Amino acid sequence: MADEQDSSTLYTVELVLENEAAMIRFAEDIALALAKGDLVTLKGDLGAGKSTLARAIIRTIANDDFYEVPSPTFTLVQSYPELRLPVAHTDLYRLSSPEELDELGLDEALESGAVLVEWPQQGEGVLPAPTIAISIDHEGDGRRLTMEVTAKAARRISRSLGIRSFLEKSDRHHASRRYLLGDASPRGYELITSESGTEILMNAPAMPYDPPVKDGRPYRQIAHLAENMDAFVAMNRLLREKGFRAPEILALNLDRGFLLMEHLGAEGVLDSEGKPIAERYVAAARMLAHLHQHDWPQDIAISEDRTHHLHMFDRDAMLIEAELLPVWYLPYVQGEPASADQTQSFEQAWDSVFKSLDNAEYNLLMRDYHSPNILWQDKAEGIARLGIIDFQDAMIGPSAYDLASLAMDARVTIPDELQDQIGAAYCDERRKLAKAFDEEAFRSAYAIMAAQRNTKILGIFVRLFKRDGKPAYLQHLPRIQAYAARALQHPALAPVRKWYQDNGLLQD
């Protein structure tokens, strides 16, 4: 087996674990930091706790405290390809010679997941250098662990241990951690269970800028995406002040990007089969109408020396998002990169459309107001029935944007009839709340925002496949194509509709 791992040790961690429960908590910290390609070696005498640690790591990845993890002592390898992160668990104690390692398929296992190796010394000279090397020694009734971490995993391990420290400083001393959700950004979420109940942890490291993509600026800056946790905290406080049901923040470390918040439950706006519950989508539309009755400041104070600024959803932001289509989606469809003429004509078509938004109504837009981010509060009433999360990328822009996000839910097929009901409910609520509401202008802006958003998403989902190795997003493409086609029927989108047709992306 070739040694392709980065073997430069960045730091060493030593700690004493007083009992098995502490060992299991440590295993959670390691498990939640593991990634594809990680090789974890476990050294220690018989009875030191190697198998206990390995079993707890696997159960954490499985999100199941009772997940069956048989010992690989006699089989040499036990594989768990069905887990969120596939794991191969190996015990080399009975290995006859290091050369037998080639028959265990560890190279292949590292290509798709992580590998845990007990008794790694038996494969010395052939086993690749570990990403994480853990040595376990007896110390009284507990264990002393020494962990050497290479550059490949150092940041992930350090951050996971930092989360444990954050929880302890927040009086969650014996908290259990479980993976909850990872989205299309570096943010991650965990389910935290302790004496305080069940809560949600957000792990949101500061976002580094990507390389410049246009006019010397990176995509994140042009599109006004959140750079750190300040945006979430600012919007959370502002929404709650205005009477909307955002989760209560329970503990916070802004500098590290750790946040513990109220768990709003797991009941959303979809039924048990993943289909939209019409009444809840309609209620969510009416909640947006209430949100758009407020005036929203662009500068939100977080503390005496920290302020978050709500950017405008301007032409540059709208266009850089839409341009994900010629950069990623069009090459995927036509089998070759977009030509200079295709890119130029695309920008010209959208420019002419965006000009019609100059007189549109502008208000707060949360950017991803759809099923994954709306949690139904069954015991509440009115607008409080809609719990909302994931609003850190909020901006000031055309009011219609979030309604388009809801009615053309990227993750769920919303039938045309329900889309119409959602739009009608919003407009009806706006008329009840205020006399001055230009429905015709709003519906024109709605079509433009729906087309822009779905154009962007077509590009994003192909990018997630091509760049990030996440093919599951491709299953959503037919739905997004249908949404885009419907939005492009509006007369305001005529130049963009023609571009779609000319480039074979829209059937007559």
Side-chain angles (χ1 to χ4, degrees):
M1 298 176 64
D3 182 355
E4 297 178 352
Q5 304 284 352
D6 181 352
S7 59
S8 57
T9 300
L10 193 64
Y11 69 81
T12 299
V13 177
E14 289 193 8
L15 63 163
V16 175
L17 304 176
E18 65 275 16
N19 51 37
E20 184 173 322
M23 178 83 80
I24 291 173
R25 288 194 295 274
F26 175 75
E28 293 175 353
D29 301 339
I30 299 303
L32 290 165
L34 292 184
K36 183 171 66 175
D38 280 338
L39 175 64
V40 183
T41 58
L42 306 171
K43 285 185 179 180
D45 294 335
L46 287 170
K50 301 183 297 299
S51 295
T52 298
L53 187 59
R55 187 177 296 111
I57 289 173
I58 294 169
R59 285 176 172 169
T60 299
I61 295 173
N63 273 5
D64 184 349
D65 291 338
F66 302 100
Y67 191 78
E68 187 175 355
V69 184
S71 171
T73 300
F74 294 99
T75 59
L76 295 186
V77 179
Q78 290 285 347
S79 297
Y80 304 91
E82 72 281 3
L83 299 184
R84 170 182 58 83
L85 174 69
V87 177
H89 179 200
T90 304
D91 186 330
L92 304 184
Y93 184 72
R94 295 180 179 275
L95 197 71
S96 300
S97 67
E99 287 70 26
E100 288 185 48
L101 276 173
D102 288 334
E103 301 175 11
L104 301 183
L106 299 189
D107 281 329
E108 293 81 1
L110 286 169
E111 290 177 0
S112 61
V115 174
L116 311 178
V117 179
E118 298 184 44
W119 297 99
Q121 56 270 38
Q122 297 293 93
E124 191 172 346
V126 180
L127 192 69
T131 312
I132 303 165
I134 300 174
S135 297
I136 310 173
D137 297 297
H138 291 272
E139 178 142 327
D141 294 332
R143 301 290 186 272
R144 175 176 292 275
L145 270 69
T146 302
M147 178 170 62
E148 293 184 339
V149 184
T150 64
K152 179 177 180 179
R155 189 173 185 276
R156 287 181 277 120
I157 293 294
S158 175
R159 191 156 186 87
S160 188
L161 295 178
I163 290 174
R164 177 63 66 185
S165 177
F166 168 71
L167 291 172
E168 290 176 350
K169 290 177 182 177
S170 305
D171 295 327
R172 276 72 174 176
H173 297 286
H174 302 294
S176 172
R177 301 171 57 191
R178 287 293 182 269
Y179 174 87
L180 178 64
L181 178 68
D183 59 20
S185 79
R187 282 187 301 273
Y189 299 85
E190 296 179 16
L191 200 63
I192 306 299
T193 305
S194 70
E195 293 179 354
S196 299
T198 301
E199 298 158 342
I200 303 295
L201 180 129
M202 178 192 290
N203 175 13
M207 306 288 189
Y209 277 142
D210 297 324
V213 296
K214 194 173 186 180
D215 300 328
R217 294 188 294 166
Y219 178 90
R220 177 171 293 279
Q221 188 179 56
I222 300 171
H224 305 312
L225 297 177
E227 299 176 18
N228 51 45
M229 189 173 278
D230 288 18
F232 180 89
V233 173
M235 282 307 307
N236 179 279
R237 292 176 178 172
L238 188 58
L239 286 164
R240 288 176 63 86
E241 286 174 5
K242 299 284 189 180
F244 296 95
R245 189 70 172 94
E248 180 184 359
I249 294 175
L250 305 169
L252 174 66
N253 186 324
L254 277 174
D255 294 328
R256 293 296 307 277
F258 299 143
L259 182 149
L260 193 66
M261 58 184 162
E262 173 189 11
H263 186 14
L264 293 181
E267 188 174 358
V269 293
L270 307 178
D271 63 20
S272 59
E273 297 179 351
K275 296 180 181 179
I277 301 174
E279 296 81 3
R280 296 183 182 182
Y281 272 82
V282 167
R286 292 185 182 278
M287 193 215 79
L288 273 182
H290 286 263
L291 185 139
H292 293 154
Q293 295 305 299
H294 292 276
D295 294 324
W296 301 89
Q298 283 194 257
D299 293 296
I300 309 166
I302 302 171
S303 62
E304 291 184 1
D305 59 348
R306 298 177 84 138
T307 301
H308 174 65
H309 179 72
L310 282 177
H311 292 280
M312 295 296 296
F313 194 27
D314 52 25
R315 177 263 184 196
D316 288 350
M318 292 180 188
L319 184 60
I320 196 68
E321 289 186 343
E323 285 179 332
L324 291 171
L325 185 138
V327 172
W328 292 99
Y329 180 76
L330 186 61
Y332 173 75
V333 172
Q334 69 182 14
E336 60 183 15
S339 68
D341 287 344
Q342 285 176 314
T343 301
Q344 183 179 14
S345 59
F346 179 87
E347 182 172 339
Q348 290 171 345
W350 274 110
D351 263 338
S352 64
V353 169
F354 289 150
K355 288 178 183 177
S356 65
L357 293 172
D358 289 346
N359 296 319
E361 177 190 78
Y362 274 58
N363 204 284
L364 180 72
L365 61 89
M366 292 180 285
R367 214 164 192 163
D368 281 310
Y369 187 67
H370 58 169
S371 56
N373 302 325
I374 304 173
L375 297 169
W376 187 254
Q377 310 298 294
D378 193 50
K379 296 181 180 179
E381 296 181 358
I383 62 172
R385 292 179 299 171
L386 286 305
I388 47 178
I389 57 176
D390 197 5
F391 35 69
Q392 59 275 342
D393 291 327
M395 296 181 291
I396 300 297
S399 303
Y401 186 94
D402 280 343
L403 189 69
S405 176
L406 176 71
M408 296 187 178
D409 194 321
R411 309 297 179 92
V412 183
T413 298
I414 307 295
D416 290 355
E417 181 181 355
L418 179 53
Q419 290 182 43
D420 293 340
Q421 290 177 19
I422 291 168
Y426 174 88
C427 293
D428 177 66
E429 197 72 13
R430 285 295 304 269
R431 287 189 294 269
K432 290 179 180 177
L433 294 169
K435 294 180 180 179
F437 174 59
D438 188 338
E439 183 172 340
E440 182 178 354
F442 181 87
R443 288 189 177 276
S444 177
Y446 170 87
I448 295 171
M449 289 292 89
Q452 187 272 348
R453 177 173 171 81
N454 285 293
T455 293
K456 170 188 74 171
I457 293 173
L458 286 171
I460 286 177
F461 284 178
V462 172
R463 184 180 69 182
L464 285 165
F465 165 53
K466 289 286 190 179
R467 188 191 70 182
D468 303 331
K470 298 179 178 180
Y473 284 91
L474 296 182
Q475 67 181 308
H476 301 300
L477 290 184
R479 176 187 310 115
I480 307 305
Q481 291 162 349
Y483 286 159
R486 188 170 201 236
L488 289 169
Q489 293 174 12
H490 194 281
L493 274 301
V496 176
R497 182 172 64 252
K498 183 178 185 302
W499 188 93
Y500 264 73
Q501 291 170 332
D502 290 347
N503 290 277
L505 302 183
L506 194 64
Q507 301 298 320
D508 293 330

